């Protein structure tokens, strides 16, 4: 079976995430079979809706049997569980039966990705907070809670409670004098900039405590290997 691979991200007005994803795609092309087609698409803020990006990619690839779609999302929120599946159904209608579309589990659900994220913990204070975007969808944040428990962290969210400010205040109430903040995001962008500003404000509010803001996962050989392994292990 000849497969082509499409990485689907959220999309951003900030150019940095797309630059990182384009670099990731280029690295994956080197890692996978030389004949493999690999591209990226965006759920939002793209010139075309996702279903047209998928169908155009499938047609462009020529003689393939299947397009494997990997959502570059870290939690199973509305985008992963509802929006992307809907767009894939529309794309399949556009393409017809000649090329099948297969959506993998979202990136954050892969055990190797969880291990990769855990490596970012080593350089931060023992008492740390994992800060994710968060989802209002039922069960959408469970993966973050499980990861926090596994890594002995406290979970906070950017878009839903408990917030970073709430969890920092709670940690200080328990006597913390140094608190790490680990962003549960793939790449730097507008949200991580806003988080950095929030951390700076909290540092001014609590000068007696040292706040250490970590880095998102970022583009690394380990991330490329993890994604390459996911794509290469898809069942026929």
């Amino acid at each position: 079976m000849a497969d082509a691979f499409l990485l689907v991200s959220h999309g951003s007005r900030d150019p940095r995430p797309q630059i990182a994803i384009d670099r990731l795609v280029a690295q994956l092309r080197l890692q996978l079979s030389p004949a493999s087609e690999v591209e990226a698409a965006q759920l939002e803020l793209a010139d075309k809706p996702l279903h047209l990006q998928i169908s155009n990619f499938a047609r462009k690839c020529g003689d393939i049997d299947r397009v494997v779609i990997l959502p570059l999302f870290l939690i199973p929120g509305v985008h992963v569980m509802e929006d992307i599946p809907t767009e894939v159904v529309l794309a399949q209608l556009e393409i017809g039966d000649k090329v099948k579309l297969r959506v993998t589990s979202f990136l954050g659900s892969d055990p190797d990705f969880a291990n990769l994220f855990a490596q970012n913990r080593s350089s931060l204070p023992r008492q740390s907070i994992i800060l994710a975007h968060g989802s209002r969808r039922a069960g959408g944040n469970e993966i973050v809670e499980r990861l926090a428990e596994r890594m002995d962290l406290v979970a906070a969210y950017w878009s839903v409670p408990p917030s970073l400010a709430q969890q920092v205040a709670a940690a200080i109430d328990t006597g913390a004098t140094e608190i790490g903040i680990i962003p549960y995001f793939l790449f730097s962008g507008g949200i991580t900039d806003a988080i950095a500003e929030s951390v700076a404000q909290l540092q001014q509010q609590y000068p007696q405590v040292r706040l250490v803001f970590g880095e998102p996962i970022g583009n690394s050989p380990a991330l490329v290997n993890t994604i390459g392994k996911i794509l290469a292990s898809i069942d026929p």
Side-chain angles (χ1 to χ4, degrees):
M1 176 175 285
D3 288 340
F5 304 100
L6 192 64
L7 310 182
V8 176
S9 65
H10 181 276
S12 173
R13 292 184 178 87
D14 189 304
R16 288 172 293 170
Q18 192 57 48
I19 290 171
I21 290 168
D22 289 343
R23 186 176 299 120
L24 177 62
V25 166
Q27 293 166 324
L28 285 167
R29 286 173 180 155
L30 296 175
Q31 186 181 79
L32 296 169
S33 164
S36 295
E37 294 277 358
V38 187
E39 282 195 10
Q42 296 78 46
L43 178 62
E44 297 183 355
L45 303 172
D47 294 338
K48 297 181 178 66
L50 179 59
H51 68 274
L52 291 183
Q53 296 175 66
I54 296 170
S55 59
N56 289 346
F57 174 64
R59 293 189 182 103
K60 184 184 104 170
C61 290
D63 190 20
I64 59 168
D65 301 300
R66 183 173 66 173
V67 173
V68 175
I69 299 165
L70 171 61
L72 294 179
F73 289 74
L74 304 188
I75 61 174
V78 171
H79 289 327
V80 167
M81 304 305 293
E82 299 177 22
D83 297 341
I84 292 177
T86 297
E87 291 293 316
V88 170
V89 169
L90 293 174
Q92 190 71 75
L93 291 172
E94 286 269 341
I95 298 166
D97 295 333
K98 183 180 177 182
V99 176
K100 299 299 182 184
L101 302 178
R102 163 75 184 277
V103 184
T104 73
S105 296
F106 63 99
L107 178 59
S109 66
D110 188 81
D112 286 343
F113 179 80
N115 293 334
L116 174 62
F117 179 79
Q119 293 173 12
N120 282 13
R121 171 78 169 86
S122 58
S123 61
L124 290 173
R126 183 188 62 79
Q127 193 158 358
S128 289
I129 297 167
I130 176 174
L131 179 62
H133 183 278
S135 173
R136 290 180 172 81
R137 187 179 184 277
N141 299 321
E142 287 181 3
I143 193 168
V144 181
E145 299 292 337
R146 291 198 302 268
L147 191 56
E149 183 177 3
R150 168 188 163 186
M151 297 171 60
D152 195 22
L153 303 172
V154 172
Y157 302 96
W158 186 245
S159 63
V160 296
S163 68
L164 176 62
Q166 289 172 322
Q167 296 296 50
V168 167
I172 292 171
D173 285 345
T174 66
T177 58
E178 188 176 50
I179 304 169
I181 300 160
I182 311 173
Y184 188 60
F185 293 84
L186 264 186
F187 304 118
S188 297
I191 293 181
T192 56
D193 286 352
I195 293 169
E197 291 179 11
S198 179
V199 171
Q201 292 169 2
L202 288 168
Q203 185 65 83
Q204 289 184 342
Q205 184 177 350
Y206 301 109
Q208 76 279 18
V209 177
R210 178 172 175 256
L211 300 179
V212 183
F213 185 40
E215 296 289 337
I217 291 292
N219 218 329
S220 67
L223 178 63
V224 175
N225 290 338
T226 296
I227 294 176
K229 180 179 173 184
I230 294 170
L231 297 180
S233 63
I234 301 300
D235 294 334

